[in-house]
Amino acid sequence: MSIRIAIGQVNPRLGDLQANLAMYEERIGHAAAAKAALLLFPELSLTGYMLRDTVPAVALKLDAPEIKQLMALSRKVSFIAGLVEESADHRFFNSAVYFEDGEIRHVHRKVYLPTYGMFDEQRYFARGDRVRAFDTKFGRMALLICEDLWHPSTIYLAALDGALAVLCPSASPLRGIVDQQSQDDNARYWEMLNRVYAETYSLFMIYGNRCGFEDGVGFWGGSEILDPFGERLAKARYYDEDFIAVDASFEAVRRKRTISPLLRDEDLDLTINELMRIRERPGAKIVQGFKGSKVQGRKSAKKK
């Protein structure tokens, strides 16, 4: 099945839901005019990324009026929105929501929340607890948000769960630029990762990164779409807003997996057994105990 896949590489306004909703509507209209069937927006593009203590102010429950507005827009084009989701028990998640034909078809809550260097996500967000492929009218896909994809287990699980394409909304910041001729270190790593994953797991990689600046942090853009042979089908500009679209056929997944049947030959029992062995080894227990003691220490401090 051939579909036209698009990425809206945008620069959202920090904390301004209404402005970003208007931007979504404009980009969705643009995608519909370009005859795109599927549109990917970047991570937290409905809210901006550097939210910190404003997370609760921009969070949306899945029955919110803004969500219903997005559901209506998905009758034009199926799309993935990046937003802050509030659960029924008032936890906040960095979520990617897949909208199709006026409905929510899938929600992925970011599993790996970076909390190092400039990142502080675990302070403000709760962690997701699952990686699942899901069915769409185009074929089976999976959603992984930015840091999720830096952990090899997530792409492995998505591929084994039958994903023909992995959609990755991202907010990857600038790092390591020496001069105007140098390419960003994060860009180099992401481009390598996307190519290796696409070819290794014989699937489409659809990577949508944002651009612009927030609170002194820049984002490098460079969104891209790769086929299961690791070939780049479309590439967005670095640093600036852009829109890319390309026709892709999931028949390419079948061709690649026929030539290189690595997923077919995976031994799940071997993997599960070895992971259980590693989980039970003494070193793993020490690490788990250390983490537990730190948590307990924090609780004790609060009691005092």
Side-chain angles (χ1 to χ4, degrees):
M1 180 180 187
S2 180
I3 64 169
R4 192 160 181 79
I5 301 170
I7 298 175
Q9 182 171 291
V10 296
N11 177 16
R13 292 188 187 180
L14 183 61
D16 194 335
L17 268 176
Q18 295 309 310
N20 294 327
L21 273 169
M23 175 266 291
Y24 263 51
E25 186 168 6
E26 189 274 330
R27 294 300 194 282
I28 289 167
H30 184 67
K35 301 193 182 305
L38 176 64
L39 173 63
L40 174 64
F41 285 105
E43 177 183 11
L44 293 177
S45 50
L46 198 64
T47 61
Y49 181 77
M50 306 294 290
L51 293 163
R52 297 190 176 92
D53 293 331
T54 64
V55 162
V58 297
L60 296 173
K61 294 183 178 180
L62 294 183
D63 60 354
E66 294 87 349
I67 296 294
K68 295 186 186 305
Q69 184 178 342
L70 293 173
M71 291 167 67
L73 288 171
S74 72
R75 297 187 186 280
K76 298 180 181 179
V77 175
S78 299
F79 64 91
I80 297 89
L83 52 86
V84 179
E85 176 203 354
E86 181 176 354
S87 64
D89 58 353
H90 308 298
R91 290 183 297 159
F92 304 104
F93 295 91
N94 180 341
S95 294
V97 182
Y98 179 81
F99 294 89
E100 179 182 282
D101 293 338
E103 297 182 4
I104 294 174
R105 299 291 189 186
H106 184 72
V107 178
H108 173 70
R109 294 169 169 175
K110 192 172 183 179
V111 173
Y112 288 103
L113 302 175
T115 306
Y116 57 84
M118 59 157 281
F119 301 105
D120 204 13
E121 289 192 31
Q122 286 193 53
R123 182 176 178 183
Y124 304 105
F125 294 111
R127 290 181 61 169
D129 60 2
R130 64 199 64 188
V131 173
R132 304 281 169 83
F134 59 97
D135 292 319
T136 75
K137 62 184 178 181
F138 312 113
R140 195 160 172 82
M141 302 184 189
L143 274 167
L144 297 171
I145 302 174
C146 205
E147 181 92 1
D148 287 345
L149 205 57
W150 282 37
H151 294 260
S153 58
T154 60
I155 185 77
Y156 181 71
L157 290 169
L160 288 176
D161 203 20
L164 306 176
V166 169
L167 302 143
C168 181
S170 180
S172 178
L174 294 162
R175 253 186 206 175
I177 291 182
V178 178
D179 53 53
Q180 290 184 346
Q181 276 67 50
S182 299
Q183 188 183 12
D184 175 70
D185 285 346
N186 271 353
R188 281 193 294 270
Y189 186 81
W190 270 110
E191 288 166 358
M192 176 193 70
L193 203 66
N194 289 335
R195 184 174 64 252
V196 169
Y197 282 163
E199 188 159 11
T200 300
Y201 293 102
S202 302
L203 43 71
F204 282 90
M205 285 298 306
I206 305 163
Y207 174 75
N209 192 29
R210 62 158 294 177
C211 60
F213 283 83
E214 283 181 6
D215 198 20
V217 176
F219 301 88
W220 55 270
S223 304
E224 59 183 10
I225 301 169
L226 292 88
D227 74 7
F229 294 87
E231 294 295 322
R232 184 180 288 159
L233 303 180
K235 181 71 176 177
R237 292 178 295 181
Y238 297 112
Y239 316 123
D240 296 321
E241 289 192 311
D242 204 357
F243 175 87
I244 57 174
V246 69
D247 293 318
S249 173
F250 285 160
E251 175 64 20
V253 175
R254 180 179 182 273
R255 292 200 309 273
K256 178 58 170 26
R257 291 182 181 179
T258 300
I259 296 167
S260 180
L262 297 178
L263 285 174
R264 181 200 68 187
D265 296 341
E266 274 297 302
D267 188 335
L268 275 176
D269 287 332
L270 171 69
T271 301
I272 292 167
N273 290 339
E274 290 304 300
L275 285 174
M276 290 178 68
R277 176 186 63 80
I278 292 168
R279 181 181 173 184
E280 294 302 317
R281 69 188 180 190
K285 290 181 178 179
I286 290 171
V287 171
Q288 290 170 4
F290 177 68
K291 288 181 179 178
S293 67
K294 288 204 299 183
V295 172
Q296 183 62 43
R298 284 196 295 268
K299 289 179 179 178
S300 298
K302 288 179 181 179
K303 288 179 181 178
K304 291 178 182 178

